[in-house]
Amino acid sequence: MELVISIVFVIAALLTCAASPGDRLLVNMTVVRSAAAIGAYCLDGSLPAYHIHRGFGAGARNWLLQFEGGGWCNDITTCADRAQTRRGSTRLMNQLETFSGILSNNASCNPDFYNWNRVKLRYCDGGSFVGDAMFDNGTLVLYFRGQRIWQSIIEDLLPKGLRFAKKALLSGCSAGGMASYLHCNSFNNYLPNATAVKCLGDAGFFLDAPDINMYHTQRTFFQHLVTLQGIEKNLDENCTNSISDPKQCIFPQYLLKYITPPLFILNSAYDVYQFHHILAPPSADSHGLWNHCKLNPKACLPEQIQVLQAFRVEMLTALRSFLFNSSRGGVFINSCFAHCQSESQDTWFALDSPQMYNETIAESVGDWYFGRNVSKKVDCPYPCDDTCHNLIGAV
């Protein structure tokens, strides 16, 4: 009987959420004026910013912080270009940001976190919030100050109630998802011991894997990123002291065992960004043999599907210890061609959201955070999952 009531409640909530798609929550930008005191600047020298929507009721003392994503820049040319866009300057960002999915304030659309204090940290450093360097040739000045941006935002939020948090969740998507791995321990250290701190990485488990030509394209990219932006000194010391190349500790797979708070890994086994930029980047496919496959998985040749399946196995291998040995960890690895599934309402919690074992992503994350149920789910290989929202071709 309890199970039937629970299912009816969930269906009713999903119908209510679906019935009001036009009710967008727009949240104003808060610029961190005090950031200049510690030299926390975006690439172009503008001040960092975030958007906050206050919690209420039972969630008034709970906090969810969400790192914005948006790739990286790993050389002066691309960073200079980025500094002239919303990815490198808060002056060029929208002052209003839509809060949906895990940031929604609608209980029908976000049943576990709707009434928490929810904060979106704007991404303007191009280095997943961990750099600490500067470039100045007399003509061009670029600030790689992601670590200080993180510090300045936290220090701005602490007196606004974060220091009294009962529950806290640090999350992020893509490059922001990687930031949630990189800053999980730091977030925990900022908060009282009594705070229940947990972290969620959405589409941030970027693999240190070879491309189709067996070159480590992403490893080389990240090595340049770490060097340019002065990131190495901000990587976890336990990790950097235990590996031959400390720069590799920017990869979550090497950092994973050193993350102290409970962690939830949300990723697609066929993550679109990783498919396009790590497995089959343009540099490895000069003749465009993978172009049709990238645009439509149904157009992939049998041998290309084999490569994709091997990439999935590589991800699961990197997660093996976490899957079987972490008693406090949560996992949702589905077999969708997607990238970032917690911020969009249609993939987070909706009538036709991706599911595994009859649970949406929102339900799985909620079960894990609140300890309602064991929440480690790994999908069967493509093409078995018919609940996917495949975004292939969109990245």
Side-chain angles (χ1 to χ4, degrees):
M1 177 63 73
E2 289 183 3
L3 178 60
V4 172
I5 293 173
S6 177
I7 292 172
V8 170
F9 174 79
V10 169
I11 293 174
L14 290 170
L15 287 171
T16 303
C17 184
S20 56
D23 298 336
R24 289 199 307 158
L25 174 62
L26 295 173
V27 182
N28 273 310
M29 176 185 284
T30 299
V31 176
V32 185
R33 303 294 176 188
S34 59
I38 61 169
Y41 299 111
C42 299
L43 283 170
D44 72 331
S46 57
L47 292 172
Y50 60 83
H51 302 255
I52 180 171
H53 192 261
R54 287 292 188 170
F56 56 93
R61 288 185 60 187
N62 299 335
W63 288 75
L64 188 157
L65 273 61
Q66 174 87 351
F67 284 115
E68 183 179 27
W72 311 269
C73 63
N74 72 341
D75 58 46
I76 296 303
T77 299
T78 56
C79 287
D81 290 342
R82 188 181 179 100
Q84 299 178 59
T85 72
R86 67 181 180 87
R87 296 296 186 195
S89 174
T90 51
R91 298 187 186 104
L92 302 175
M93 293 178 181
N94 292 331
Q95 298 299 301
L96 293 172
E97 187 72 3
T98 300
F99 274 28
S100 63
I102 196 171
L103 295 175
S104 172
N105 68 332
N106 185 334
S108 300
C109 303
N110 185 26
D112 285 309
F113 307 106
Y114 72 98
N115 61 352
W116 287 30
N117 297 283
R118 299 163 333 281
V119 185
K120 185 165 189 174
L121 285 65
R122 298 310 298 266
Y123 184 33
C124 65
D125 62 276
S128 282
F129 296 85
V130 281
D132 193 7
M134 181 178 174
F135 174 82
D136 184 353
N137 65 1
T139 304
L140 174 67
V141 178
L142 293 171
Y143 296 91
F144 305 119
R145 297 285 176 78
Q147 182 74 20
R148 301 190 199 193
I149 289 173
W150 161 246
Q151 178 186 341
S152 70
I153 292 177
I154 287 291
E155 291 180 352
D156 199 63
L157 291 172
L158 284 170
K160 294 181 178 180
L162 180 59
R163 65 160 53 105
F164 304 114
K166 294 174 63 179
K167 295 181 174 65
L169 176 62
L170 182 68
S171 65
C173 152
S174 191
M178 194 166 78
S180 68
Y181 292 112
L182 294 167
H183 283 300
C184 187
N185 287 341
S186 169
F187 185 55
N188 189 46
N189 292 337
Y190 273 111
L191 296 176
N193 291 334
T195 305
V197 176
K198 300 186 180 184
C199 302
L200 162 66
D202 176 9
F205 199 81
F206 296 97
L207 282 178
D208 180 22
D211 62 28
I212 53 176
N213 289 339
M214 301 309 294
Y215 293 118
H216 279 85
T217 302
Q218 192 65 26
R219 182 189 296 176
T220 301
F221 181 92
F222 276 166
Q223 285 174 335
H224 293 160
L225 172 68
V226 171
T227 300
L228 175 70
Q229 296 220 17
I231 288 173
E232 186 174 329
K233 60 180 172 287
N234 294 322
L235 297 175
D236 186 271
E237 286 187 7
N238 292 316
C239 182
T240 58
N241 290 335
S242 66
I243 196 167
S244 58
D245 181 3
K247 294 182 180 68
Q248 287 183 228
C249 288
I250 196 169
F251 283 102
Q253 69 196 78
Y254 303 120
L255 175 64
L256 205 53
K257 62 182 177 181
Y258 302 108
I259 296 176
T260 303
L263 176 68
F264 193 101
I265 297 173
L266 167 60
N267 234 94
S268 167
Y270 309 94
D271 182 276
V272 179
Y273 180 92
Q274 297 199 52
F275 176 17
H276 290 196
H277 299 278
I278 295 180
L279 180 62
S283 61
D285 186 30
S286 57
H287 298 293
L289 300 178
W290 281 76
N291 286 350
H292 291 299
C293 181
K294 285 182 176 180
L295 291 172
N296 180 5
K298 294 180 180 178
C300 295
L301 300 172
E303 56 267 31
Q304 291 174 326
I305 292 293
Q306 288 182 352
V307 172
L308 283 165
Q309 303 297 23
F311 189 76
R312 170 183 176 271
V313 170
E314 189 148 9
M315 176 174 287
L316 296 181
T317 301
L319 286 169
R320 184 185 301 276
S321 179
F322 186 83
L323 281 166
F324 295 106
N325 298 330
S326 174
S327 61
R328 301 185 302 161
V331 175
F332 193 102
I333 305 292
N334 56 4
S335 291
C336 304
F337 287 85
H339 184 68
C340 289
Q341 300 179 88
S342 64
E343 293 180 336
S344 296
Q345 194 61 55
D346 59 347
T347 49
W348 175 247
F349 191 66
L351 276 171
D352 62 345
S353 289
Q355 294 189 25
M356 270 194 283
Y357 306 102
N358 296 316
E359 271 202 339
T360 62
I361 293 169
E363 290 170 304
S364 293
V365 173
D367 281 352
W368 160 77
Y369 189 94
F370 293 98
R372 294 190 295 249
N373 200 358
V374 175
S375 193
K376 288 187 178 179
K377 298 180 175 64
V378 177
D379 217 347
C380 46
Y382 170 82
C384 69
D385 191 337
D386 61 2
T387 70
C388 288
H389 288 209
N390 288 333
L391 303 176
I392 194 161
V395 173

